[in-house]
Short mmCIF file of all heavy atoms in Angstrom, two decimals:
data_model
loop_
_atom_site.label_atom_id
_atom_site.label_comp_id
_atom_site.label_asym_id
_atom_site.label_seq_id
_atom_site.Cartn_x
_atom_site.Cartn_y
_atom_site.Cartn_z
N MET L 1 0.83 -1.20 0.00
CA MET L 1 0.00 0.00 0.00
C MET L 1 0.87 1.27 0.00
O MET L 1 0.54 2.25 -0.64
CB MET L 1 -0.91 -0.04 1.22
CG MET L 1 -1.97 1.03 1.22
SD MET L 1 -3.09 0.73 -0.13
CE MET L 1 -4.26 1.98 0.13
N LEU L 2 1.96 1.19 0.74
CA LEU L 2 2.86 2.34 0.81
C LEU L 2 3.46 2.63 -0.57
O LEU L 2 3.61 3.79 -0.96
CB LEU L 2 3.97 2.09 1.83
CG LEU L 2 4.97 3.21 2.02
CD1 LEU L 2 4.27 4.44 2.57
CD2 LEU L 2 6.07 2.78 2.95
N TRP L 3 3.79 1.59 -1.30
CA TRP L 3 4.37 1.76 -2.64
C TRP L 3 3.41 2.51 -3.55
O TRP L 3 3.82 3.34 -4.36
CB TRP L 3 4.70 0.37 -3.20
CG TRP L 3 5.44 0.45 -4.50
CD1 TRP L 3 4.94 0.21 -5.74
CD2 TRP L 3 6.80 0.84 -4.68
NE1 TRP L 3 5.89 0.40 -6.69
CE2 TRP L 3 7.06 0.79 -6.06
CE3 TRP L 3 7.81 1.20 -3.82
CZ2 TRP L 3 8.29 1.11 -6.58
CZ3 TRP L 3 9.04 1.51 -4.35
CH2 TRP L 3 9.27 1.46 -5.72
N HIS L 4 2.12 2.22 -3.42
CA HIS L 4 1.10 2.88 -4.23
C HIS L 4 1.11 4.39 -3.98
O HIS L 4 1.08 5.18 -4.92
CB HIS L 4 -0.28 2.29 -3.90
CG HIS L 4 -1.41 3.03 -4.54
ND1 HIS L 4 -1.65 2.97 -5.90
CD2 HIS L 4 -2.34 3.87 -4.03
CE1 HIS L 4 -2.70 3.73 -6.18
NE2 HIS L 4 -3.13 4.28 -5.06
N TRP L 5 1.16 4.81 -2.71
CA TRP L 5 1.15 6.23 -2.39
C TRP L 5 2.43 6.92 -2.84
O TRP L 5 2.41 8.09 -3.25
CB TRP L 5 0.94 6.45 -0.89
CG TRP L 5 -0.45 6.08 -0.46
CD1 TRP L 5 -0.80 5.03 0.33
CD2 TRP L 5 -1.67 6.71 -0.84
NE1 TRP L 5 -2.15 4.98 0.49
CE2 TRP L 5 -2.73 6.01 -0.24
CE3 TRP L 5 -1.99 7.80 -1.64
CZ2 TRP L 5 -4.06 6.36 -0.39
CZ3 TRP L 5 -3.31 8.16 -1.80
CH2 TRP L 5 -4.33 7.44 -1.18
N LEU L 6 3.55 6.22 -2.77
CA LEU L 6 4.81 6.81 -3.21
C LEU L 6 4.82 7.06 -4.71
O LEU L 6 5.28 8.10 -5.17
CB LEU L 6 5.98 5.91 -2.82
CG LEU L 6 6.32 5.86 -1.34
CD1 LEU L 6 7.41 4.83 -1.09
CD2 LEU L 6 6.76 7.23 -0.85
N THR L 7 4.30 6.11 -5.48
CA THR L 7 4.25 6.31 -6.94
C THR L 7 3.27 7.42 -7.30
O THR L 7 3.50 8.19 -8.23
CB THR L 7 3.86 5.01 -7.66
OG1 THR L 7 2.62 4.54 -7.14
CG2 THR L 7 4.93 3.96 -7.50
N LEU L 8 2.18 7.50 -6.54
CA LEU L 8 1.19 8.53 -6.80
C LEU L 8 1.76 9.92 -6.48
O LEU L 8 1.59 10.87 -7.27
CB LEU L 8 -0.07 8.28 -5.96
CG LEU L 8 -1.30 9.11 -6.29
CD1 LEU L 8 -1.75 8.82 -7.72
CD2 LEU L 8 -2.41 8.79 -5.32
N SER L 9 2.46 10.03 -5.37
CA SER L 9 3.04 11.34 -5.00
C SER L 9 4.15 11.73 -5.97
O SER L 9 4.33 12.92 -6.27
CB SER L 9 3.58 11.30 -3.57
OG SER L 9 4.68 10.43 -3.50
N LYS L 10 4.87 10.77 -6.49
CA LYS L 10 5.92 11.05 -7.47
C LYS L 10 5.32 11.70 -8.72
O LYS L 10 5.86 12.66 -9.27
CB LYS L 10 6.63 9.75 -7.83
CG LYS L 10 7.78 9.90 -8.79
CD LYS L 10 8.42 8.55 -9.05
CE LYS L 10 9.50 8.63 -10.09
NZ LYS L 10 10.07 7.32 -10.40
N PHE L 11 4.17 11.19 -9.14
CA PHE L 11 3.48 11.73 -10.32
C PHE L 11 3.07 13.18 -10.09
O PHE L 11 3.29 14.06 -10.93
CB PHE L 11 2.25 10.87 -10.63
CG PHE L 11 1.36 11.42 -11.70
CD1 PHE L 11 1.77 11.42 -13.02
CD2 PHE L 11 0.13 11.96 -11.38
CE1 PHE L 11 0.96 11.94 -14.01
CE2 PHE L 11 -0.69 12.48 -12.37
CZ PHE L 11 -0.27 12.47 -13.68
N PHE L 12 2.46 13.47 -8.93
CA PHE L 12 2.01 14.84 -8.66
C PHE L 12 3.18 15.79 -8.44
O PHE L 12 3.09 16.98 -8.75
CB PHE L 12 1.05 14.86 -7.47
CG PHE L 12 -0.33 14.36 -7.84
CD1 PHE L 12 -0.76 13.12 -7.39
CD2 PHE L 12 -1.16 15.11 -8.64
CE1 PHE L 12 -2.02 12.65 -7.74
CE2 PHE L 12 -2.42 14.66 -8.99
CZ PHE L 12 -2.85 13.43 -8.54
N ASN L 13 4.28 15.30 -7.91
CA ASN L 13 5.47 16.14 -7.77
C ASN L 13 6.02 16.55 -9.13
O ASN L 13 6.50 17.66 -9.30
CB ASN L 13 6.55 15.42 -6.97
CG ASN L 13 6.30 15.51 -5.48
OD1 ASN L 13 5.63 16.41 -5.02
ND2 ASN L 13 6.85 14.56 -4.74
N LYS L 14 5.94 15.65 -10.09
CA LYS L 14 6.41 15.99 -11.44
C LYS L 14 5.55 17.10 -12.03
O LYS L 14 6.07 18.01 -12.69
CB LYS L 14 6.36 14.76 -12.34
CG LYS L 14 7.48 13.78 -12.10
CD LYS L 14 7.42 12.64 -13.08
CE LYS L 14 8.54 11.65 -12.83
NZ LYS L 14 8.50 10.53 -13.78
N ILE L 15 4.25 17.04 -11.81
CA ILE L 15 3.35 18.08 -12.31
C ILE L 15 3.68 19.42 -11.64
O ILE L 15 3.77 20.46 -12.29
CB ILE L 15 1.87 17.69 -12.07
CG1 ILE L 15 1.51 16.49 -12.92
CG2 ILE L 15 0.94 18.86 -12.38
CD1 ILE L 15 0.13 15.93 -12.63
N GLY L 16 3.86 19.40 -10.32
CA GLY L 16 4.19 20.62 -9.59
C GLY L 16 5.50 21.22 -10.03
O GLY L 16 5.62 22.43 -10.19
N ASN L 17 6.50 20.38 -10.25
CA ASN L 17 7.80 20.86 -10.70
C ASN L 17 7.72 21.47 -12.09
O ASN L 17 8.41 22.45 -12.40
CB ASN L 17 8.83 19.73 -10.69
CG ASN L 17 9.23 19.33 -9.29
OD1 ASN L 17 9.05 20.10 -8.36
ND2 ASN L 17 9.75 18.13 -9.16
N TYR L 18 6.86 20.90 -12.94
CA TYR L 18 6.68 21.43 -14.29
C TYR L 18 6.14 22.86 -14.24
O TYR L 18 6.66 23.77 -14.89
CB TYR L 18 5.75 20.53 -15.09
CG TYR L 18 5.36 21.11 -16.43
CD1 TYR L 18 6.28 21.17 -17.47
CD2 TYR L 18 4.08 21.61 -16.64
CE1 TYR L 18 5.93 21.71 -18.69
CE2 TYR L 18 3.72 22.15 -17.85
CZ TYR L 18 4.65 22.20 -18.88
OH TYR L 18 4.29 22.74 -20.07
N PHE L 19 5.07 23.06 -13.46
CA PHE L 19 4.48 24.39 -13.38
C PHE L 19 5.40 25.38 -12.68
O PHE L 19 5.44 26.56 -13.03
CB PHE L 19 3.11 24.34 -12.70
CG PHE L 19 2.04 23.79 -13.60
CD1 PHE L 19 1.51 22.54 -13.38
CD2 PHE L 19 1.59 24.52 -14.69
CE1 PHE L 19 0.53 22.03 -14.21
CE2 PHE L 19 0.62 24.02 -15.53
CZ PHE L 19 0.09 22.77 -15.29
N TYR L 20 6.16 24.92 -11.70
CA TYR L 20 7.12 25.80 -11.03
C TYR L 20 8.20 26.24 -12.01
O TYR L 20 8.58 27.41 -12.03
CB TYR L 20 7.75 25.09 -9.83
CG TYR L 20 8.79 25.92 -9.14
CD1 TYR L 20 8.43 26.99 -8.33
CD2 TYR L 20 10.14 25.65 -9.32
CE1 TYR L 20 9.39 27.76 -7.71
CE2 TYR L 20 11.10 26.42 -8.70
CZ TYR L 20 10.73 27.47 -7.90
OH TYR L 20 11.69 28.23 -7.30
N SER L 21 8.68 25.31 -12.83
CA SER L 21 9.72 25.67 -13.81
C SER L 21 9.18 26.67 -14.84
O SER L 21 9.89 27.57 -15.27
CB SER L 21 10.29 24.44 -14.49
OG SER L 21 9.30 23.80 -15.26
N LEU L 22 7.91 26.51 -15.23
CA LEU L 22 7.30 27.48 -16.14
C LEU L 22 7.24 28.86 -15.50
O LEU L 22 7.52 29.88 -16.15
CB LEU L 22 5.88 27.06 -16.52
CG LEU L 22 5.73 25.93 -17.51
CD1 LEU L 22 4.25 25.63 -17.75
CD2 LEU L 22 6.39 26.27 -18.84
N HIS L 23 6.88 28.89 -14.22
CA HIS L 23 6.80 30.16 -13.51
C HIS L 23 8.17 30.84 -13.44
O HIS L 23 8.30 32.04 -13.73
CB HIS L 23 6.27 29.90 -12.09
CG HIS L 23 6.46 31.05 -11.16
ND1 HIS L 23 5.74 32.22 -11.25
CD2 HIS L 23 7.30 31.22 -10.11
CE1 HIS L 23 6.13 33.05 -10.30
NE2 HIS L 23 7.09 32.46 -9.60
N VAL L 24 9.20 30.09 -13.08
CA VAL L 24 10.54 30.65 -12.96
C VAL L 24 11.03 31.15 -14.32
O VAL L 24 11.63 32.23 -14.43
CB VAL L 24 11.51 29.61 -12.38
CG1 VAL L 24 12.95 30.07 -12.47
CG2 VAL L 24 11.15 29.31 -10.94
N LYS L 25 10.74 30.40 -15.36
CA LYS L 25 11.14 30.79 -16.71
C LYS L 25 10.50 32.12 -17.10
O LYS L 25 11.15 33.01 -17.66
CB LYS L 25 10.72 29.69 -17.68
CG LYS L 25 11.27 29.79 -19.05
CD LYS L 25 10.84 28.56 -19.85
CE LYS L 25 11.54 28.46 -21.16
NZ LYS L 25 11.11 27.27 -21.92
N LYS L 26 9.21 32.28 -16.78
CA LYS L 26 8.49 33.50 -17.12
C LYS L 26 9.02 34.70 -16.31
O LYS L 26 9.16 35.80 -16.85
CB LYS L 26 7.00 33.31 -16.84
CG LYS L 26 6.12 34.38 -17.42
CD LYS L 26 6.16 34.32 -18.91
CE LYS L 26 5.16 35.29 -19.50
NZ LYS L 26 5.27 35.38 -20.94
N VAL L 27 9.35 34.48 -15.04
CA VAL L 27 9.89 35.56 -14.21
C VAL L 27 11.23 36.03 -14.76
O VAL L 27 11.48 37.23 -14.88
CB VAL L 27 10.02 35.10 -12.74
CG1 VAL L 27 10.85 36.08 -11.94
CG2 VAL L 27 8.66 34.94 -12.11
N HIS L 28 12.09 35.10 -15.13
CA HIS L 28 13.39 35.47 -15.70
C HIS L 28 13.23 36.21 -17.02
O HIS L 28 13.95 37.17 -17.31
CB HIS L 28 14.26 34.23 -15.91
CG HIS L 28 14.82 33.68 -14.64
ND1 HIS L 28 15.85 34.28 -13.96
CD2 HIS L 28 14.49 32.59 -13.92
CE1 HIS L 28 16.13 33.59 -12.87
NE2 HIS L 28 15.31 32.54 -12.82
N GLU L 29 12.26 35.78 -17.81
CA GLU L 29 12.01 36.42 -19.10
C GLU L 29 11.56 37.87 -18.88
O GLU L 29 12.02 38.79 -19.57
CB GLU L 29 10.92 35.64 -19.83
CG GLU L 29 10.64 36.10 -21.23
CD GLU L 29 9.60 35.23 -21.90
OE1 GLU L 29 9.82 34.01 -22.00
OE2 GLU L 29 8.56 35.78 -22.31
N ASN L 30 10.66 38.09 -17.91
CA ASN L 30 10.19 39.45 -17.63
C ASN L 30 11.32 40.32 -17.10
O ASN L 30 11.40 41.51 -17.42
CB ASN L 30 9.05 39.42 -16.62
CG ASN L 30 7.77 38.89 -17.24
OD1 ASN L 30 7.63 38.88 -18.46
ND2 ASN L 30 6.85 38.43 -16.41
N GLN L 31 12.20 39.76 -16.28
CA GLN L 31 13.33 40.52 -15.77
C GLN L 31 14.27 40.93 -16.89
O GLN L 31 14.79 42.04 -16.90
CB GLN L 31 14.08 39.72 -14.71
CG GLN L 31 13.35 39.61 -13.40
CD GLN L 31 14.06 38.73 -12.40
OE1 GLN L 31 14.99 38.00 -12.75
NE2 GLN L 31 13.61 38.76 -11.16
N ARG L 32 14.49 40.04 -17.85
CA ARG L 32 15.34 40.38 -18.98
C ARG L 32 14.72 41.49 -19.81
O ARG L 32 15.40 42.38 -20.30
CB ARG L 32 15.59 39.14 -19.85
CG ARG L 32 16.77 38.34 -19.38
CD ARG L 32 17.12 37.25 -20.36
NE ARG L 32 16.92 35.99 -19.68
CZ ARG L 32 16.03 35.06 -19.99
NH1 ARG L 32 15.26 35.21 -21.04
NH2 ARG L 32 15.90 33.97 -19.30
N LYS L 33 13.39 41.44 -20.00
CA LYS L 33 12.71 42.47 -20.78
C LYS L 33 12.85 43.83 -20.11
O LYS L 33 13.10 44.83 -20.76
CB LYS L 33 11.22 42.13 -20.94
CG LYS L 33 10.94 41.09 -21.97
CD LYS L 33 9.44 40.86 -22.08
CE LYS L 33 9.12 39.76 -23.06
NZ LYS L 33 7.67 39.50 -23.11
N GLU L 34 12.67 43.86 -18.78
CA GLU L 34 12.78 45.13 -18.07
C GLU L 34 14.20 45.67 -18.09
O GLU L 34 14.41 46.86 -18.14
CB GLU L 34 12.32 44.97 -16.62
CG GLU L 34 10.83 44.88 -16.48
CD GLU L 34 10.38 44.86 -15.04
OE1 GLU L 34 11.24 45.05 -14.16
OE2 GLU L 34 9.19 44.68 -14.80
N LYS L 35 15.17 44.77 -18.06
CA LYS L 35 16.57 45.19 -18.09
C LYS L 35 16.90 45.85 -19.43
O LYS L 35 17.67 46.82 -19.49
CB LYS L 35 17.46 43.98 -17.86
CG LYS L 35 18.92 44.30 -17.73
CD LYS L 35 19.73 43.05 -17.46
CE LYS L 35 21.20 43.36 -17.36
NZ LYS L 35 21.99 42.16 -17.17
N ASP L 36 16.32 45.35 -20.51
CA ASP L 36 16.60 45.88 -21.84
C ASP L 36 15.85 47.18 -22.13
O ASP L 36 16.22 47.92 -23.03
CB ASP L 36 16.24 44.84 -22.91
CG ASP L 36 17.15 43.63 -22.84
OD1 ASP L 36 18.25 43.76 -22.27
OD2 ASP L 36 16.76 42.56 -23.35
N MET L 37 14.77 47.45 -21.36
CA MET L 37 13.99 48.66 -21.60
C MET L 37 14.73 49.88 -21.08
O MET L 37 15.51 49.78 -20.15
CB MET L 37 12.65 48.58 -20.88
CG MET L 37 11.67 47.65 -21.50
SD MET L 37 10.13 47.77 -20.61
CE MET L 37 9.22 46.48 -21.39
N PRO L 38 14.47 51.06 -21.70
CA PRO L 38 15.06 52.28 -21.16
C PRO L 38 14.54 52.54 -19.75
O PRO L 38 13.46 52.08 -19.39
CB PRO L 38 14.58 53.37 -22.12
CG PRO L 38 13.93 52.70 -23.24
CD PRO L 38 13.69 51.28 -22.88
N SER L 39 15.29 53.27 -18.95
CA SER L 39 14.89 53.50 -17.56
C SER L 39 13.56 54.24 -17.50
O SER L 39 13.30 55.15 -18.28
CB SER L 39 15.96 54.29 -16.83
OG SER L 39 16.11 55.55 -17.44
N GLY L 40 12.72 53.83 -16.56
CA GLY L 40 11.43 54.47 -16.38
C GLY L 40 10.36 53.96 -17.32
O GLY L 40 9.24 54.44 -17.29
N LYS L 41 10.65 52.99 -18.16
CA LYS L 41 9.66 52.50 -19.12
C LYS L 41 9.27 51.05 -18.84
O LYS L 41 8.66 50.40 -19.65
CB LYS L 41 10.22 52.58 -20.55
CG LYS L 41 10.64 53.95 -20.98
CD LYS L 41 9.46 54.86 -21.13
CE LYS L 41 9.92 56.24 -21.59
NZ LYS L 41 8.86 57.19 -21.65
N GLY L 42 9.63 50.51 -17.68
CA GLY L 42 9.33 49.12 -17.35
C GLY L 42 7.86 48.91 -17.10
O GLY L 42 7.11 49.83 -16.78
N SER L 43 7.43 47.67 -17.22
CA SER L 43 6.02 47.37 -17.02
C SER L 43 5.70 47.17 -15.56
O SER L 43 4.60 47.40 -15.12
CB SER L 43 5.66 46.10 -17.80
OG SER L 43 6.45 45.03 -17.35
N TYR L 44 6.67 46.73 -14.78
CA TYR L 44 6.43 46.46 -13.36
C TYR L 44 7.46 47.23 -12.54
O TYR L 44 8.64 47.18 -12.81
CB TYR L 44 6.55 44.97 -13.07
CG TYR L 44 6.39 44.64 -11.61
CD1 TYR L 44 5.14 44.63 -11.02
CD2 TYR L 44 7.49 44.37 -10.82
CE1 TYR L 44 4.98 44.33 -9.69
CE2 TYR L 44 7.34 44.08 -9.47
CZ TYR L 44 6.08 44.06 -8.93
OH TYR L 44 5.93 43.77 -7.60
N GLY L 45 7.00 47.94 -11.56
CA GLY L 45 7.92 48.66 -10.69
C GLY L 45 8.52 49.90 -11.33
O GLY L 45 9.55 50.38 -10.88
N SER L 46 7.90 50.39 -12.36
CA SER L 46 8.46 51.57 -13.01
C SER L 46 8.13 52.81 -12.21
O SER L 46 7.21 52.84 -11.41
CB SER L 46 7.92 51.71 -14.43
OG SER L 46 6.53 51.93 -14.39
N LYS L 47 8.89 53.87 -12.43
CA LYS L 47 8.71 55.10 -11.68
C LYS L 47 7.94 56.14 -12.49
O LYS L 47 7.97 57.31 -12.17
CB LYS L 47 10.06 55.64 -11.26
CG LYS L 47 10.78 54.72 -10.29
CD LYS L 47 12.08 55.32 -9.84
CE LYS L 47 12.75 54.39 -8.85
NZ LYS L 47 14.01 54.92 -8.38
N VAL L 48 7.27 55.70 -13.54
CA VAL L 48 6.52 56.63 -14.38
C VAL L 48 5.31 57.12 -13.60
O VAL L 48 4.56 56.32 -13.04
CB VAL L 48 6.08 55.94 -15.69
CG1 VAL L 48 5.21 56.86 -16.51
CG2 VAL L 48 7.28 55.51 -16.48
N GLY L 49 5.11 58.41 -13.53
CA GLY L 49 3.94 58.97 -12.87
C GLY L 49 4.13 59.19 -11.38
O GLY L 49 3.25 59.73 -10.74
N ARG L 50 5.24 58.80 -10.83
CA ARG L 50 5.48 59.02 -9.41
C ARG L 50 6.16 60.37 -9.22
O ARG L 50 7.01 60.76 -10.02
CB ARG L 50 6.40 57.94 -8.82
CG ARG L 50 5.78 56.60 -8.74
CD ARG L 50 6.72 55.67 -8.03
NE ARG L 50 6.21 54.31 -8.04
CZ ARG L 50 6.89 53.27 -7.64
NH1 ARG L 50 8.13 53.41 -7.22
NH2 ARG L 50 6.36 52.07 -7.67
N PRO L 51 5.81 61.06 -8.15
CA PRO L 51 6.50 62.33 -7.90
C PRO L 51 7.92 62.07 -7.42
O PRO L 51 8.20 61.02 -6.85
CB PRO L 51 5.66 62.97 -6.78
CG PRO L 51 4.96 61.84 -6.14
CD PRO L 51 4.75 60.81 -7.21
N PRO L 52 8.82 62.99 -7.67
CA PRO L 52 10.21 62.79 -7.21
C PRO L 52 10.28 62.80 -5.69
O PRO L 52 9.46 63.43 -5.02
CB PRO L 52 10.97 63.96 -7.82
CG PRO L 52 9.93 64.97 -8.12
CD PRO L 52 8.65 64.22 -8.39
N LYS L 53 11.27 62.14 -5.15
CA LYS L 53 11.45 62.09 -3.70
C LYS L 53 11.92 63.45 -3.20
O LYS L 53 12.67 64.15 -3.86
CB LYS L 53 12.49 61.04 -3.32
CG LYS L 53 12.02 59.63 -3.50
CD LYS L 53 13.06 58.67 -2.97
CE LYS L 53 12.59 57.24 -3.07
NZ LYS L 53 13.60 56.30 -2.57
N LYS L 54 11.44 63.79 -1.99
CA LYS L 54 11.85 65.05 -1.39
C LYS L 54 13.23 64.88 -0.77
O LYS L 54 13.52 63.85 -0.18
CB LYS L 54 10.86 65.48 -0.31
CG LYS L 54 9.50 65.83 -0.84
CD LYS L 54 8.58 66.26 0.28
CE LYS L 54 7.20 66.59 -0.25
NZ LYS L 54 6.29 66.96 0.84
N LYS L 55 14.06 65.91 -0.93
CA LYS L 55 15.39 65.86 -0.34
C LYS L 55 15.30 66.30 1.11
O LYS L 55 14.58 67.24 1.45
CB LYS L 55 16.35 66.75 -1.12
CG LYS L 55 16.60 66.26 -2.52
CD LYS L 55 17.59 67.14 -3.24
CE LYS L 55 17.82 66.64 -4.65
NZ LYS L 55 18.77 67.50 -5.37
N LYS L 56 16.04 65.63 1.95
CA LYS L 56 16.05 65.98 3.37
C LYS L 56 16.94 67.21 3.57
O LYS L 56 18.03 67.30 3.02
CB LYS L 56 16.58 64.83 4.21
CG LYS L 56 15.66 63.64 4.21
CD LYS L 56 16.21 62.55 5.11
CE LYS L 56 15.30 61.35 5.12
NZ LYS L 56 15.84 60.27 5.96
N LYS L 57 16.46 68.15 4.37
CA LYS L 57 17.23 69.33 4.69
C LYS L 57 18.03 69.07 5.95
O LYS L 57 17.53 68.49 6.91
CB LYS L 57 16.33 70.54 4.90
CG LYS L 57 15.59 70.96 3.65
CD LYS L 57 14.73 72.16 3.92
CE LYS L 57 13.97 72.57 2.68
NZ LYS L 57 13.07 73.71 2.94
N MET L 58 19.25 69.50 5.94
CA MET L 58 20.10 69.34 7.12
C MET L 58 19.75 70.42 8.14
O MET L 58 19.72 71.61 7.81
CB MET L 58 21.57 69.43 6.74
CG MET L 58 22.06 68.32 5.82
SD MET L 58 21.91 66.69 6.54
CE MET L 58 23.09 66.80 7.85
N MET L 59 19.47 70.00 9.35
CA MET L 59 19.14 70.94 10.41
C MET L 59 20.42 71.29 11.16
O MET L 59 21.20 70.43 11.51
CB MET L 59 18.13 70.31 11.38
CG MET L 59 16.82 69.93 10.72
SD MET L 59 15.88 71.35 10.17
CE MET L 59 15.41 72.06 11.71
N LYS L 60 20.60 72.61 11.38
CA LYS L 60 21.77 73.06 12.15
C LYS L 60 21.47 72.93 13.62
O LYS L 60 20.35 73.19 14.07
CB LYS L 60 22.09 74.51 11.81
CG LYS L 60 22.58 74.69 10.39
CD LYS L 60 22.96 76.12 10.14
CE LYS L 60 23.45 76.30 8.73
NZ LYS L 60 23.78 77.71 8.45
N LYS L 61 22.47 72.56 14.38
CA LYS L 61 22.30 72.44 15.81
C LYS L 61 22.31 73.82 16.44
O LYS L 61 23.09 74.68 16.06
CB LYS L 61 23.43 71.58 16.41
CG LYS L 61 23.38 70.15 16.00
CD LYS L 61 24.45 69.35 16.69
CE LYS L 61 24.42 67.89 16.28
NZ LYS L 61 25.49 67.15 16.93
N LYS L 62 21.42 74.00 17.41
CA LYS L 62 21.35 75.29 18.10
C LYS L 62 22.39 75.33 19.20
O LYS L 62 22.57 74.34 19.94
CB LYS L 62 19.96 75.50 18.70
CG LYS L 62 18.89 75.65 17.67
CD LYS L 62 17.55 75.90 18.34
CE LYS L 62 16.45 76.03 17.29
NZ LYS L 62 15.15 76.21 17.95
N LYS L 63 23.07 76.45 19.32
CA LYS L 63 24.06 76.62 20.37
C LYS L 63 23.39 77.18 21.61
O LYS L 63 22.50 78.02 21.52
CB LYS L 63 25.18 77.55 19.92
CG LYS L 63 26.01 76.98 18.81
CD LYS L 63 27.14 77.91 18.47
CE LYS L 63 27.98 77.34 17.35
NZ LYS L 63 29.06 78.25 16.97
N LYS L 64 23.79 76.70 22.76
CA LYS L 64 23.21 77.20 24.01
C LYS L 64 24.06 78.29 24.61
O LYS L 64 25.20 78.40 24.50
CB LYS L 64 23.06 76.06 25.00
CG LYS L 64 22.00 75.09 24.58
CD LYS L 64 21.81 74.05 25.66
CE LYS L 64 20.71 73.11 25.28
NZ LYS L 64 20.48 72.11 26.26
#
């Protein structure tokens, strides 16, 4: 009976590994596309439309 469950789990692990490999392949492909795009033109995580960051002002210490 144990042998039956081991062969069955082996089959489902192969299916899971297949879909995981497809996912990883797609993620790498998207990263390569973003790397080749000019800055600010990426599809994910791009900075288009975001306001620029505010610069911090240095505060002078008060003398007592």
Side-chain angles (χ1 to χ4, degrees):
M1 189 66 176
L2 181 63
W3 187 255
H4 172 71
W5 291 112
L6 289 174
T7 56
L8 191 62
S9 67
K10 182 179 175 183
F11 173 71
F12 284 108
N13 279 336
K14 284 184 180 180
I15 293 173
N17 288 340
Y18 172 72
F19 284 109
Y20 177 75
S21 65
L22 285 179
H23 166 71
V24 170
K25 191 175 190 180
K26 193 67 174 173
V27 167
H28 285 286
E29 186 178 302
N30 287 341
Q31 287 176 347
R32 272 189 244 116
K33 282 182 183 177
E34 284 186 7
K35 186 178 179 183
D36 294 339
M37 286 184 186
S39 62
K41 303 291 181 185
S43 59
Y44 177 77
S46 64
K47 296 183 178 180
V48 176
R50 291 186 186 171
K53 289 186 177 179
K54 294 181 181 178
K55 294 182 180 179
K56 293 182 180 178
K57 294 181 181 177
M58 296 299 293
M59 300 293 291
K60 292 183 180 178
K61 292 184 180 178
K62 293 182 181 178
K63 294 183 180 178
K64 290 185 178 180

